[in-house]
C-alpha cells in the first residue's frame, strides 16, 4: 500500500520512527542491525561463507542472529531510566550507566504488584457494607462472579503474553497487536480512562478515611447539626476540596520523580498485607474473646452513637431516676413528665453486641440480603417494634439511616474495582527477567490469593459482625469507627492507617501508570489528535500525558462519591478485559501459524465465557454507563478507522478478515449469484505510458460512479517485457494504479501483469482476474483513440479481440467513447438526461447501469429516458404501454419513447460510405504486406476503381486524412497510396448524396470536403446511378450494416444530441478477423455526432428482475 497519509495522518517522526512518523519496535531480526556494510562483509570473509556473500545485505549469519536474540530487550522508558537520569544530573556517575538487563522475577515483578493493585479501597471501606446489604449468599455470588471473570481473563492474558516476546506496554500492547490498531486504540483509551478514574476513586477513599475516621475536625464544610441533603452536600464539598488538594500534591510528586513512588510501593504494600493480617487475627480473637462494641437500639432501629452517652432512657443515680442524653434527644425537656417522641415512648432501648464473634451463630441472620431505600432506618431483624403509621416522621439526626438506595446490580458495580489490577504484572513486562514465565504464574497466583481472601472475608464478616453494624457504612452506630476496624486486632487504628496509606499508594500508582499508557498510545500514532501527548521530558517522562490525566481525574473528584465513581471505572476495566478474552478466543479459533503460546492451559471456550461474563457484568452494573462506555469505544474505533495511521501488526482482526474471505469465497463457488444479487464486478482495463502513469484516469472516475452496486473493482494493466527484466516497472505501475484509485476513491484492487506483448497481457487479465467465485463479470475498456492512424493499427485490433474474448467468456462489456469528456467525481450535473437506446435485449444491463449512475452525486439530478425502436410490423403504441409497465415493475423511474424506423431504400450516400470504408480497409491491410504483395494489392484496388476515377476531376491538392477525435495521421510516402487517397477524396467530394445525418462527419479524406449534395437534385441522383459498376463488388451485408448504423445514428442524434450520456447496445464483433476494420467503421458511424456514449454488451444472463 502507498503511504499516502491524509491531512489527519500527518505527524512528526520520532527519533525511533522509520520516517513515516510511526514508532518501530526494536527487533533482533533481519535488517535491524545498524552495522555498516564493512562490518557485515567481515562475517562472510571466510571461504566457507563465500557462497552467500551476495545475500550479505538481507540475510544475517545464524551466529549473529542468535546472539541478538539472546541479548534482546525492549525496556520501557520508565523508572529505571528516570533514576539513572537524575543520578547523572547529580554528578554521581558522570558517564551514563548502561541499562541493565531486567532482573525482576515472578514474586517481585508480578505477584506482589498484582496483590497491591487488587487489594484496595473497596475491601476496607465497602466490603462489610456489601455483606450487610447483600447478605453473605448474595455477596459471595458477586465475589465469585467477579473473581471468575478476572481469572478467565488472566488465563487469556497469559496465553497472549506467552505467545512471543512481550515488549513494554503490557495490556495495551497485547490487545492492539492481537486485535489491530482500531480495537487496540479504542480499548487502550478505555483502559487509560479506567486507570485514571481508579486514581480518582483511590483519592476519594483516602479523603473519606481522613475526614470521617482520622481527623473529622478538619472538615471545611461543617456537618455537625446538618440533616439530610444538607449534610450530604457538605460531605461531598469536603471531598471535592480535599480531593483536589491531594490530586495536585500527588501529580506534583509523580512529576518530580517516579523513583519516589516506586520506592514507597513496598511500604504501601506492607500496609495492605498488615491490615489484612490484622483482620484475620481479629476473627480468630472473636472466637476466644469477642471485643466489646455495643450498639444501641430503640425498638429495632439503630441509634447514632453521638446521640447518647448511655444506652438507656433513664439511669438510677443515688437512688434517684435521672434522664439521659438519649432522653433529651427524643423529649422536649429533662423531666420525666416531658413530652417525648411517640416511637420513643412505645419502644424500649436495648444494647446488643456489635461483634458477637465467629461462634455466635449470627451467620444465619446475615445469610440473605437486606436492601434499603435511601433514608430508611437500619433495623435489626427478628426484633419487634411498635410503630404508628400516622405519627410524624422522626428527626433524621437520631437514627442511623441508609445514605443511598441499594440493590444487587449496584453492589456489583461498586465491588468490581476491587478485583481489577490483574494487569499490573503484564504492565511491567519490560522489567521482567522472563516475562513468558512470570506473567502467567504471578498473575494467576495473585488472583487465586486475593479471591480466597475476598471469599473468606465475606463469610467471616457475616459470621462475626452484627447485621446492623455491617449495614452501617460509615460506622455511625459504633462511635464513628471504621466497621472493618472494629474487627481488627490489636487495634482499629491498624486498619485505619493501613487503608489510608494503601489508598494513597494506589492513587500514586494510578497517576504513574495512566500517563505512560497514554504516552504509549500516542507514540504508536494510531490516534492522530493524541500525538502531542507522546512528548515529555528529556528522559521520556510523559509530562503532557500527566497533565491530561490529572484533568480527567479531577472529573472523578468533582463527582465526589466513591459509590458513583466505582461503576464508571468498572465499565472501562470490564471492556478492556472483554477484549483481552476476545483476542485470545480469536487467535485460538483462527489457528494462525504464529499462535504458539507457551502457556498451554487455555481454551477458546474459556475465553468466550470470560468475554460473556464481562459483557454481562457491564450491563448488570449499569446499562446506562455500559452504553456510554461502548459508545466512546465505538467513536474512537471509527475515528482511528478513518483518520488513524495504517498499521499492520498481524492482528487477529486481519486474521478474521482472511478467514471470512476464505469462507465467503468457498460459498461463492457453490453456484452463480441469483439475479437479485447480481452487481457489476468490474475489471477496468487501462493503459500506462512510458512513465507507468495511467493514460485514461476518467475510466476510474466512471467506475467509481458505477459503484452504487458495491461490487468488486479490479483495475488492471499490462507491462510489456519479461518478469525478470521488467518487475520494477510493474511495481511502479502498481503504485501508480493504487495512487489513482485512492485519488478517485475507487475501492478495489490493482493488478499488473507482465507479458511479452500487450495483447496477451490483456487476455491474461480477463482470464485470471479475481479469485474463486469473486471474479469480474464486467469489463470496462476505453474506445481506442486514433484507431485510424497506421501506427495505431494494432491498438484497435487488440480492442476487437477484447470484445471477442468478453463475448466468449460471457462477460458484460462497457466501452465509454470520448472518455476524456466524462465528468470527474467532483463535477455535478444540475439537469439533463441519461438516454438509454434499448435496441436489443441484453439481460437488463442498459436498465441497471443508469440506475446505478443516478445513485452517485454526479448524475443524481439527471433524468432517465428510455428509447426503443419499432419496426414496420410492430405496434408502437402497445410497445410503449408494455415498456411503461415493465419499468414500473422494475421500480425504475424513466420517461419512455418508442421511435419508429420504417424500412427505406438504401441511399447512395450509404453506398459511398461503405465504399470508402472498404477502400480504407484495403489501405490499412496493405500496410502490413510485403513489397510485392503490396504492389499487387494496390494494382487490384486501382483497377477496380478506375472507371470511377475517369468520371471524376483530379484533385487540386492532396488532402489531409480525417481522423477520429481530431488526431493527425502521418503522411504515406508511397505513390500508390497517394493515388488511392486522391481517388477517395475525389470520389467522395464529387458524389451527390442523400442528406447527411445532423452533425455527422463525412468519411472523406478532406476536412473541408462537402458532405454531399441533397438528394432533391435530380441531376445528382442520375449521376449516382451511373456509378453502379463501382458498387458491384461491395458486400451486401456490409451495405445493410452501414445502412442500419446510419439510420440509427440519424435517429439517436436527433433525439439525444443534448443528452449528458447516451447508453447504446454495442453490436457484436465479426466472427472472422477479415472484417475488423469494417466493424470499427460501423461503430464509428453509429456513434457519430454524440458527445458521451457508453456502448454496452450484456454478458448473456439476466441482471435485473421484477421480483422481490
Amino acid at each position: 500500500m502507498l503511504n499516502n497519509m491524509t491531512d489527519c495522518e500527518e505527524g512528526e517522526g520520532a527519533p525511533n520512527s522509520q520516517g513515516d512518523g510511526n514508532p518501530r519496535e526494536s527487533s533482533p531480526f533481519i535488517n535491524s542491525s545498524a552495522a555498516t556494510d564493512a562490518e557485515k562483509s567481515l562475517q562472510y570473509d571466510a571461504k566457507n561463507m563465500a557462497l552467500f556473500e551476495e545475500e550479505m545485505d538481507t540475510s544475517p549469519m545464524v551466529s549473529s542472529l542468535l546472539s541478538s536474540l539472546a541479548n534482546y530487550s525492549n525496556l520501557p522508558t520508565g523508572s529505571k531510566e528516570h533514576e539513572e537520569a537524575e543520578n547523572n544530573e547529580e554528578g554521581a556517575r558522570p558517564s551514563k550507566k548502561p541499562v541493565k538487563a531486567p532482573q525482576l522475577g515472578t514474586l517481585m515483578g508480578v505477584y506482589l504488584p498484582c496483590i497491591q493493585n487488587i487489594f484496595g479501597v473497596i475491601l476496607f471501606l465497602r466490603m462489610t457494607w456489601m455483606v450487610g446489604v447483600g447478605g453473605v449468599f448474595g455477596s459471595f455470588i458477586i465475589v465469585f462472579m467477579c473473581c471468575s471473570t478476572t481469572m478467565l481473563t488472566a488465563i487469556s492474558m497469559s496465553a497472549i503474553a506467552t505467545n512471543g516476546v512481550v515488549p513494554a506496554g503490557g495490556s495495551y500492547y497485547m490487545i492492539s497487536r492481537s486485535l489491530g490498531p482500531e480495537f487496540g486504540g479504542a480499548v487502550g483509551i478505555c483502559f487509560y480512562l479506567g486507570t485514571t478514574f481508579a486514581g480518582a476513586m483511590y483519592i476519594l477513599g483516602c479523603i473519606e478515611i481522613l475526614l470521617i475516621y482520622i481527623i473529622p475536625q478538619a472538615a471545611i464544610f461543617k456537618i455537625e447539626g446538618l440533616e439530610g441533603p444538607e449534610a450530604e452536600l457538605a460531605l461531598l464539598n469536603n471531598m471535592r476540596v480535599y480531593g483536589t488538594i491531594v490530586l495536585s500534591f500527588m501529580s506534583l510528586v509523580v512529576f518530580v520523580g517516579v523513583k519516589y513512588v516506586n520506592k514507597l510501593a513496598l511500604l504501601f504494600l506492607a500496609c495492605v498485607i498488615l491490615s489484612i493480617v490484622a483482620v484475620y487475627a481479629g476473627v480468630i480473637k472473636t472466637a476466644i474473646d469477642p471485643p466489646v462494641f455495643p450498639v444501641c437500639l430503640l425498638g429495632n432501629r439503630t441509634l447514632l452513637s453521638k446521640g447518647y452517652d448511655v444506652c438507656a432512657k433513664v439511669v438510677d443515680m443515688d437512688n434517684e431516676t435521672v434522664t439521659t442524653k438519649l432522653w433529651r434527644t427524643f423529649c422536649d425537656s429533662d423531666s420525666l413528665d416531658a413530652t417525648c417522641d411517640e416511637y420513643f415512648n412505645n419502644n424500649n432501648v436495648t444494647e446488643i453486641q456489635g461483634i458477637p464473634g465467629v461462634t455466635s451463630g449470627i451467620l444465619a441472620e446475615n445469610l440473605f440480603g437486606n436492601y434499603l431505600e435511601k433514608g430508611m432506618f437500619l433495623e435489626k431483624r427478628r426484633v419487634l417494634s411498635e410503630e404508628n403509621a400516622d405519627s410524624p416522621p422522626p428527626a433524621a439526626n437520631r437514627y442511623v439511616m441508609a445514605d443511598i438506595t441499594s440493590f444487587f446490580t449496584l453492589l456489583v458495580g461498586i465491588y468490581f474495582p476491587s478485583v481489577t489490577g490483574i494487569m499490573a504484572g503484564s504492565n511491567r513486562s519490560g522489567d521482567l527477567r522472563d516475562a513468558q514465565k512470570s506473567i502467567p504464574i504471578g498473575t494467576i497466583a495473585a488472583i487465586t490469593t486475593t479471591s480466597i481472601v475476598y471469599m473468606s472475608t465475606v463469610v467471616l464478616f457475616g459470621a462475626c459482625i452484627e447485621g446492623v453494624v455491617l449495614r452501617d457504612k460509615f460506622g455511625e452506630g459504633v462511635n464513628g469507627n471504621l466497621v472493618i476496624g472494629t474487627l481488627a486486632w490489636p487495634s482499629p487504628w491498624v486498619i485505619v492507617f493501613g487503608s489510608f496509606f494503601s489508598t494513597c499508594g494506589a492513587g500514586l500508582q494510578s497517576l504513574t501508570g495512566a500517563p505512560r499508557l497514554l504516552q504509549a498510545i500516542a507514540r504508536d500514532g494510531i490516534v492522530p489528535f493524541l500525538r502531542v501527548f507522546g512528548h515529555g521530558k528529556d528522559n521520556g517522562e510523559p509530562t503532557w500525558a500527566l497533565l491530561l490525566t490529572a484533568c480527567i481525574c479531577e472529573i472523578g473528584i468533582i463527582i465526589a462519591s466513591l459509590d458513583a465513581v466505582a461503576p464508571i471505572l468498572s465499565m472501562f476495566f470490564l471492556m478492556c478485559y472483554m477484549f483481552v478474552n476476545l483476542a485470545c478466543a480469536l487467535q485460538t479459533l483462527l489457528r494462525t501459524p504464529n499462535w504458539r503460546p507457551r502457556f498451554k492451559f487455555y481454551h477458546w471456550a474459556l475465553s468466550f465465557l470470560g468475554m460473556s461474563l464481562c459483557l454481562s457484568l457491564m450491563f448488570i452494573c449499569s446499562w446506562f454507563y455500559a452504553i456510554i462506555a461502548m459508545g466512546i469505544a465505538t467513536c474512537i474505533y471509527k475515528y482511528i478507522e478513518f483518520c488513524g495511521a495504517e498499521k499492520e501488526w498481524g492482528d487477529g482482526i486481519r486474521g478474521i478478515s482472511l478467514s471470512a474471505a476464505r469462507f465467503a469465497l468457498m460459498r461463492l463457488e457453490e453456484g452463480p449469484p441469483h439475479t437479485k444479487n447480481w452487481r457489476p464486478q468490474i475489471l477496468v482495463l487501462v493503459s500506462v505510458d512510458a512513465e507507468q502513469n495511467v493514460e485514461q484516469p476518467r475510466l476510474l472516475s466512471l467506475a467509481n460512479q458505477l459503484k452504487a452496486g458495491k461490487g468488486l473493482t479490479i483495475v488492471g494493466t499490462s507491462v510489456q517485457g519479461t518478469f525478470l527484466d521488467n518487475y520494477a516497472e510493474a511495481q511502479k505501475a502498481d503504485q501508480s494504479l493504487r495512487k489513482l484509485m485512492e485519488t478517485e476513491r475507487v475501492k478495489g484492487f490493482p493488478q499488473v501483469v507482465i507479458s511479452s506483448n500487450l495483447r496477451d497481457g490483456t487476455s491474461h487479465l480477463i482470464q485470471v482476474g479475481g479469485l474463486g467465485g469473486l471474479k469480474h463479470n464486467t469489463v470496462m475498456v476505453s474506445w481506442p483513440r486514433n484507431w485510424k492512424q497506421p501506427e495505431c493499427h494494432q491498438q484497435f485490433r487488440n480492442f476487437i479481440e477484447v470484445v471477442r474474448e468478453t463475448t466468449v467468456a460471457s462477460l458484460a462489456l462497457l466501452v465509454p467513447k470520448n472518455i476524456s469528456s466524462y465528468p470527474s467525481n467532483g463535477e455535478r450535473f444540475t439537469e439533463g438526461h441519461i438516454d438509454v437506446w434499448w435496441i436489443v435485449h441484453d439481460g437488463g444491463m442498459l436498465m441497471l447501469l443508469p440506475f446505478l449512475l443516478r445513485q452517485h452525486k454526479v448524475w443524481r439530478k439527471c433524468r432517465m429516458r428510455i428509447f426503443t425502436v419499432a419496426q414496420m410490423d410492430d405496434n408502437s403504441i402497445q410497445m410503449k404501454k408494455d415498456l411503461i409497465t415493465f419499468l414500473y415493475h422494475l421500480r425504475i423511474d424513466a420517461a419512455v419513447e418508442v421511435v419508429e424506423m420504417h424500412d427505406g431504400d438504401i441511399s447512395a450516400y450509404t453506398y459511398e460510405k461503405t465504399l470508402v470504408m472498404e477502400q480504407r480497409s484495403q489501405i490499412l491491410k496493405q500496410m502490413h504486406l510485403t513489397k510485392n504483395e503490396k504492389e499487387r494489392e494496390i494494382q487490384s484496388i486501382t483497377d477496380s476503381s478506375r472507371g470511377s476515377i475517369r468520371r471524376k476531376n483530379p484533385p487540386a491538392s492532396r488532402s489531409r486524412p480525417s481522423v477520429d477525435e481530431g488526431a493527425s495521421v502521418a503522411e504515406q510516402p508511397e505513390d500508390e497510396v497517394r493515388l488511392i487517397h486522391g481517388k477517395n477524396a475525389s470520389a467522395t467530394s464529387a458524389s451527390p448524396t442523400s442528406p447527411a445525418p445532423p452533425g455527422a462527419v463525412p468519411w472523406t479524406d478532406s476536412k473541408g470536403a462537402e458532405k454531399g449534395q441533397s438528394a432533391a437534385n435530380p441531376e445528382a441522383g442520375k449521376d449516382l446511378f451511373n456509378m453502379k459498376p463501382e458498387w458491384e463488388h461491395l458486400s451486401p451485408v456490409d451495405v445493410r450494416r452501414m445502412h442500419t448504423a446510419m439510420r440509427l445514428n440519424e435517429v439517436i442524434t436527433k433525439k439525444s444530441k443534448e443528452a449528458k450520456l447516451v447508453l447504446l447496445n454495442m453490436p457484436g464483433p465479426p466472427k472472422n478477423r477479415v472484417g475488423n476494420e469494417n466493424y470499427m467503421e460501423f461503430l464509428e458511424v453509429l456513434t457519430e455526432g454524440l458527445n458521451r456514449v457508453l456502448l454496452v454488451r450484456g454478458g448473456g444472463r439476466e441482471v435485473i428482475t421484477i421480483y422481490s
Side-chain angles (χ1 to χ4, degrees):
M1 295 290 291
L2 282 176
N3 291 324
N4 296 323
M5 303 175 70
T6 59
D7 294 339
C8 57
E9 295 174 0
E10 294 175 0
E12 297 176 357
N16 61 340
S17 68
Q18 298 174 342
D20 57 357
N22 300 330
R24 68 179 176 216
E25 299 156 9
S26 62
S27 170
F29 298 99
I30 294 174
N31 292 333
S32 63
S33 174
T36 62
D37 292 340
E39 291 173 346
K40 286 183 178 179
S41 63
L42 293 177
Q43 302 172 1
Y44 294 83
D45 279 347
K47 55 187 178 182
N48 293 333
M49 294 291 109
L51 184 61
F52 300 96
E53 60 186 1
E54 294 294 334
E55 302 174 35
M56 176 179 64
D57 293 331
T58 57
S59 303
M61 290 179 62
V62 173
S63 58
S64 61
L65 174 65
L66 293 177
S67 175
S68 301
L69 282 170
N71 297 321
Y72 176 64
S73 66
N74 197 352
L75 293 178
T77 305
S79 57
K80 287 187 176 182
E81 290 82 348
H82 184 80
E83 292 181 22
E84 289 167 5
E86 290 196 351
N87 290 333
N88 291 339
E89 291 173 5
E90 294 168 3
R93 284 180 290 273
S95 61
K96 185 172 181 179
K97 180 181 177 181
V99 179
K100 291 182 180 179
Q103 295 297 324
L104 291 178
T106 303
L107 181 66
M108 297 298 296
V110 181
Y111 181 76
L112 291 179
C114 284
I115 290 288
Q116 180 186 359
N117 280 267
I118 294 173
F119 286 135
V121 63
I122 301 297
L123 172 64
F124 301 116
L125 296 183
R126 295 291 183 269
M127 187 65 125
T128 54
W129 173 77
M130 185 183 80
V131 175
V133 173
V136 173
F137 186 68
S139 300
F140 191 88
I141 291 176
I142 293 173
V143 172
F144 180 79
M145 191 163 50
C146 294
C147 291
S148 299
T149 302
T150 55
M151 179 61 78
L152 293 172
T153 303
I155 291 172
S156 299
M157 184 187 70
S158 299
I160 298 173
T162 57
N163 187 49
V165 178
V166 180
S171 55
Y172 163 69
Y173 180 91
M174 290 189 294
I175 295 171
S176 61
R177 270 55 176 181
S178 297
L179 294 179
E182 292 87 2
F183 277 110
V187 179
I189 291 177
C190 286
F191 189 46
Y192 161 75
L193 292 174
T195 307
T196 303
F197 276 103
M201 184 188 71
Y202 291 131
I203 292 174
L204 290 174
C206 170
I207 302 304
E208 183 176 312
I209 294 170
L210 180 70
L211 293 181
I212 295 179
Y213 305 112
I214 299 179
I215 316 176
Q217 302 81 10
I220 297 175
F221 300 90
K222 299 301 180 183
I223 305 177
E224 295 293 333
L226 299 179
E227 296 182 9
E230 295 179 351
E232 183 179 352
L233 181 60
L235 176 62
L236 293 180
N237 286 334
N238 284 322
M239 301 284 279
R240 292 180 181 118
V241 173
Y242 278 100
T244 304
I245 294 171
V246 173
L247 174 62
S248 303
F249 175 74
M250 287 185 174
S251 301
L252 184 62
V253 171
V254 173
F255 176 77
V256 170
V258 181
K259 68 176 183 178
Y260 303 113
V261 177
N262 290 311
K263 287 179 178 178
L264 290 172
L266 287 177
L267 174 63
F268 298 141
L269 177 61
C271 292
V272 173
I273 295 174
L274 183 62
S275 301
I276 294 172
V277 170
V279 171
Y280 280 103
V283 170
I284 295 172
K285 184 177 182 299
T286 61
I288 304 169
D289 181 20
V292 179
F293 270 99
V295 178
C296 192
L297 302 178
L298 176 61
N300 62 358
R301 298 177 182 175
T302 308
L303 296 172
L304 288 172
S305 57
K306 64 182 180 181
Y308 64 89
D309 49 1
V310 179
C311 186
K313 295 181 180 180
V314 294
V315 294
D316 293 330
M317 294 181 63
D318 300 330
N319 296 324
E320 183 181 355
T321 301
V322 180
T323 58
T324 62
K325 181 180 178 181
L326 182 62
W327 181 279
R328 294 189 292 273
T329 303
F330 285 89
C331 302
D332 56 2
S333 68
D334 294 344
S335 62
L336 293 174
D337 59 351
T339 303
C340 298
D341 181 84
E342 184 179 355
Y343 185 84
F344 181 76
N345 290 329
N346 295 338
N347 293 278
N348 295 323
V349 176
T350 55
E351 186 177 74
I352 63 172
Q353 189 65 17
I355 303 180
V358 72
T359 59
S360 63
I362 197 69
L363 178 63
E365 185 178 324
N366 294 331
L367 199 58
F368 298 102
N370 187 8
Y371 298 102
L372 303 173
E373 296 285 338
K374 183 177 180 179
M376 287 181 63
F377 304 113
L378 299 190
E379 299 177 345
K380 180 172 172 57
R381 290 175 174 177
R382 301 174 186 173
V383 175
L384 299 177
S385 64
E386 295 183 16
E387 182 177 356
N388 187 357
D390 298 330
S391 61
N397 60 350
R398 298 171 182 172
Y399 305 100
V400 180
M401 306 177 73
D403 65 323
I404 60 172
T405 299
S406 55
F407 39 90
F408 180 80
T409 58
L410 174 72
L411 299 184
V412 176
I414 292 175
Y415 171 75
F416 189 80
S418 65
V419 297
T420 60
I422 63 173
M423 300 288 189
S426 62
N427 289 342
R428 296 176 176 228
S429 55
D431 298 323
L432 299 175
R433 187 186 307 118
D434 186 357
Q436 296 189 32
K437 176 184 177 182
S438 298
I439 289 177
I441 296 175
T443 304
I444 293 175
I447 293 174
T448 303
T449 303
T450 54
S451 299
I452 291 172
V453 170
Y454 282 136
M455 292 179 188
S456 63
T457 52
V458 166
V459 177
L460 293 175
F461 289 162
C464 294
I465 305 176
E466 176 62 47
V468 291
V469 178
L470 288 173
R471 290 187 287 276
D472 188 358
K473 184 186 291 186
F474 301 110
E476 295 171 302
V478 286
N479 299 319
N481 286 312
L482 184 62
V483 174
I484 193 174
T486 61
L487 185 62
W489 182 88
S491 169
W493 292 106
V494 175
I495 293 289
V496 172
F497 283 106
S499 58
F500 176 76
F501 287 115
S502 168
T503 51
C504 288
L508 284 171
Q509 291 287 353
S510 297
L511 290 177
T512 303
R516 280 169 171 71
L517 178 59
L518 181 61
Q519 186 182 46
I521 298 171
R523 286 186 172 177
D524 257 347
I526 58 174
V527 186
F529 72 84
L530 289 181
R531 284 179 177 163
V532 64
F533 298 106
H535 305 294
K537 293 195 287 189
D538 293 338
N539 58 1
E541 286 300 308
T543 308
W544 291 107
L546 175 62
L547 181 62
L548 179 64
T549 302
C551 293
I552 297 175
C553 196
E554 179 65 20
I555 296 174
I557 300 295
I558 292 173
I559 294 175
S561 172
L562 183 69
D563 300 326
V565 172
I568 296 176
L569 66 100
S570 294
M571 291 301 112
F572 292 122
F573 277 119
L574 280 168
M575 184 169 290
C576 178
Y577 296 165
M578 180 177 70
F579 280 101
V580 169
N581 285 297
L582 175 62
C584 180
L586 287 181
Q587 298 279 27
T588 306
L589 289 175
L590 291 174
R591 298 178 183 177
T592 53
N594 192 53
W595 180 246
R596 303 185 300 274
R598 288 187 178 277
F599 181 78
K600 301 299 181 184
F601 305 101
Y602 69 94
H603 193 271
W604 65 266
L606 293 177
S607 298
F608 268 117
L609 178 60
M611 184 180 68
S612 302
L613 275 174
C614 289
L615 188 61
S616 301
L617 285 174
M618 285 178 67
F619 283 92
I620 287 173
C621 293
S622 171
W623 66 268
F624 180 71
Y625 283 152
I627 291 175
I628 291 177
M630 295 176 75
I632 292 173
T634 303
C635 291
I636 297 170
Y637 178 94
K638 299 306 291 184
Y639 176 79
I640 296 173
E641 186 178 42
F642 285 108
C643 292
E646 292 183 2
K647 300 283 184 182
E648 177 50 64
W649 287 332
D651 50 84
I653 297 300
R654 184 65 177 263
I656 290 179
S657 302
L658 292 172
S659 296
R662 173 182 168 275
F663 176 77
L665 286 172
M666 298 301 292
R667 288 291 302 273
L668 287 174
E669 282 288 333
E670 294 177 3
H674 191 273
T675 302
K676 290 185 288 186
N677 292 327
W678 193 95
R679 58 197 65 196
Q681 320 272 23
I682 303 176
L683 169 63
V684 184
L685 296 176
V686 298
S687 57
V688 293
D689 57 19
E691 298 298 324
Q692 310 305 326
N693 294 319
V694 178
E695 292 181 334
Q696 309 99 355
R698 288 295 169 86
L699 275 176
L700 272 70
S701 302
L702 180 60
N704 178 50
Q705 292 157 22
L706 280 169
K707 292 322 287 177
K710 304 295 183 186
L712 172 74
T713 302
I714 302 174
V715 182
T717 189
S718 58
V719 175
Q720 189 168 354
T722 62
F723 186 79
L724 294 178
D725 296 335
N726 299 92
Y727 181 73
E729 287 87 342
Q731 289 297 101
K732 186 176 180 182
D734 183 79
Q735 295 290 334
S736 178
L737 292 182
R738 290 179 186 274
K739 185 175 181 180
L740 184 60
M741 290 173 70
E742 183 177 345
T743 303
E744 297 292 342
R745 297 182 179 178
V746 174
K747 302 293 184 182
F749 310 98
Q751 190 166 1
V752 181
V753 297
I754 303 174
S755 180
S756 57
N757 60 77
L758 299 181
R759 168 82 286 279
D760 290 342
T762 304
S763 179
H764 296 158
L765 285 170
I766 294 174
Q767 293 177 59
V768 304
L771 180 64
L774 192 64
K775 295 179 68 70
H776 55 272
N777 53 30
T778 305
V779 177
M780 181 187 293
V781 61
S782 179
W783 176 263
R785 294 180 69 249
N786 309 335
W787 66 270
K788 296 177 185 177
Q789 296 185 22
E791 61 266 26
C792 298
H793 181 77
Q794 190 60 38
Q795 182 181 351
F796 83 81
R797 289 185 177 275
N798 292 347
F799 169 77
I800 296 176
E801 288 302 309
V802 169
V803 180
R804 286 195 176 98
E805 288 175 356
T806 55
T807 304
V808 171
S810 298
L811 300 175
L813 179 65
L814 307 179
V815 182
K817 196 165 182 283
N818 302 327
I819 186 63
S820 59
S821 66
Y822 277 65
S824 66
N825 291 326
E827 297 180 41
R828 303 286 186 277
F829 287 134
T830 56
E831 59 181 359
H833 295 92
I834 299 177
D835 286 356
V836 176
W837 283 85
W838 192 20
I839 300 170
V840 295
H841 183 56
D842 58 353
M845 280 288 289
L846 282 173
M847 307 291 179
L848 184 62
L849 293 176
F851 170 77
L852 296 178
L853 282 174
R854 292 184 67 234
Q855 308 305 306
H856 196 275
K857 53 193 174 184
V858 173
W859 305 92
R860 187 164 295 153
K861 295 188 177 180
C862 293
R863 296 186 58 81
M864 182 174 166
R865 297 189 302 191
I866 297 182
F867 298 89
T868 189
V869 177
Q871 301 296 328
M872 277 292 293
D873 53 350
D874 293 330
N875 185 341
S876 58
I877 297 176
Q878 187 62 39
M879 281 181 66
K880 184 172 182 178
K881 290 181 179 178
D882 293 342
L883 183 54
I884 292 173
T885 304
F886 181 57
L887 292 178
Y888 174 78
H889 289 304
L890 287 177
R891 292 88 65 201
I892 291 177
D893 183 21
V896 173
E897 185 173 345
V898 177
V899 178
E900 295 182 352
M901 284 185 61
H902 302 296
D903 292 336
D905 295 333
I906 299 175
S907 66
Y909 182 65
T910 302
Y911 280 104
E912 284 298 321
K913 295 286 283 185
T914 309
L915 178 63
V916 172
M917 174 186 72
E918 292 203 358
Q919 289 173 346
R920 179 176 287 111
S921 299
Q922 294 292 339
I923 293 169
L924 292 173
K925 179 180 177 182
Q926 61 85 25
M927 292 176 184
H928 297 271
L929 302 176
T930 63
K931 184 175 181 180
N932 292 334
E933 291 172 333
K934 186 185 300 182
E935 290 175 355
R936 287 196 300 270
E937 190 71 23
I938 294 296
Q939 185 62 41
S940 65
I941 297 172
T942 305
D943 292 343
S944 64
S945 302
R946 187 165 294 151
S948 176
I949 296 174
R950 290 195 192 100
R951 287 191 294 268
K952 295 172 176 56
N953 296 325
S957 61
R958 182 176 182 272
S959 304
R960 297 181 64 185
S962 170
V963 294
D964 179 44
E965 299 181 14
S968 63
V969 66
E971 293 185 0
Q972 301 299 322
E974 292 87 348
D975 294 338
E976 295 86 354
V977 177
R978 187 175 294 115
L979 170 65
I980 296 301
H981 274 252
K983 177 195 77 66
N984 292 343
S986 302
T988 308
S989 61
S991 299
T993 65
S994 60
V1001 180
W1003 293 80
T1004 67
D1005 295 324
S1006 174
K1007 288 186 178 179
E1010 296 286 341
K1011 292 185 179 180
Q1013 299 177 10
S1014 172
N1017 188 341
E1019 295 299 325
K1022 182 178 178 181
D1023 188 57
L1024 279 172
F1025 286 97
N1026 291 333
M1027 296 189 296
K1028 281 189 176 181
E1030 70 182 54
W1031 297 343
E1032 290 175 356
H1033 70 283
L1034 296 178
S1035 167
V1037 175
D1038 286 345
V1039 173
R1040 289 199 308 272
R1041 287 175 177 170
M1042 181 64 74
H1043 176 66
T1044 303
M1046 292 177 62
R1047 290 293 306 277
L1048 280 174
N1049 177 259
E1050 181 180 354
V1051 173
I1052 294 171
T1053 307
K1054 179 180 179 181
K1055 297 285 186 180
S1056 302
K1057 186 163 182 66
E1058 302 301 324
K1060 300 299 182 184
L1061 179 65
V1062 176
L1063 285 88
L1064 181 63
N1065 286 116
M1066 183 177 181
K1071 293 186 177 180
N1072 60 46
R1073 289 170 172 76
V1074 176
N1076 283 352
E1077 295 85 355
N1078 294 355
Y1079 177 67
M1080 297 296 290
E1081 290 280 6
F1082 293 143
L1083 295 181
E1084 196 72 71
V1085 171
L1086 181 63
T1087 58
E1088 208 164 14
L1090 299 173
N1091 185 21
R1092 300 184 192 92
V1093 183
L1094 183 60
L1095 296 170
V1096 180
R1097 275 185 64 75
R1101 62 159 296 167
E1102 295 293 331
V1103 300
I1104 195 167
T1105 178
I1106 64 175
Y1107 300 106
S1108 61

